[in-house]
Amino acid sequence: MSAYLRHFADTFTTLNADCLDKLGELYSNNVQFRDPLHQLNGLPALRSYFENLYSNVEDIRYELLDVDETAPGQGYLRWNLHFRHPRLSRGQPISLQGCSHLRWATHVYLHHDYFDAGALIYEHVPVLGAVIGWIKGRLA
């Protein structure tokens, strides 16, 4: 594994609202970021995304499960996200498993996150969560 990917993984898991200036150490100015809920272009948009994320959740942290460099300048992070949101799951802790695909030269210029958006949000919304749980039970 490259030293850069290890540095990225170690730094990313320590990000919080007080150290978002570290994003410039990790990402290129023209970074493309995508997850199931967002598509962003550029470091300013990514910083705004993280500012909003950290201001709306409590006790957020990433638990790194695996780091894999598949080719020079390309790799994956597998992670668990742990957080609490006052309007989801009655403020109880939520965990979500996901994966990030990264491409980099000197900094990450492509970051795609893959996770179950339903497990992140919809299953924890009152009423809607119960309906989704019922549907999953019927399909099992």
Side-chain angles (χ1 to χ4, degrees), residues 2-8 11 22-31 69 72-74 102-110:
S2 73
Y4 178 77
L5 184 56
R6 175 49 57 192
H7 168 73
F8 181 94
T11 304
K22 290 182 181 179
L23 291 173
E25 296 174 21
L26 301 177
Y27 293 99
S28 71
N29 287 330
N30 61 346
V31 62
E69 184 171 5
Q74 179 172 287
L102 306 171
R103 290 188 180 203
W104 65 90
T106 58
H107 292 78
V108 168
Y109 62 86
L110 180 78

Side-chain angles (χ1 to χ4, degrees), residues 37-98:
L37 304 171
H38 306 91
Q39 186 163 340
L40 309 166
N41 292 303
L43 188 56
L46 185 64
R47 182 181 175 97
S48 178
Y49 167 81
F50 276 103
E51 286 172 351
N52 190 44
L53 173 69
Y54 287 116
S55 70
N56 288 314
V57 297
E58 302 167 2
D59 301 328
I60 185 170
R61 68 180 175 83
Y62 286 90
E63 171 191 6
L64 200 57
L65 303 175
D66 190 29
V67 178
D68 186 22
E69 184 171 5
T70 56
Q74 179 172 287
Y76 292 88
L77 306 177
R78 202 167 53 82
W79 42 262
N80 281 331
L81 172 62
H82 305 281
F83 70 99
R84 289 186 309 120
H85 190 288
R87 291 177 291 196
L88 297 176
S89 197
R90 288 179 259 130
Q92 294 302 307
I94 297 171
S95 292
L96 173 75
Q97 192 171 77

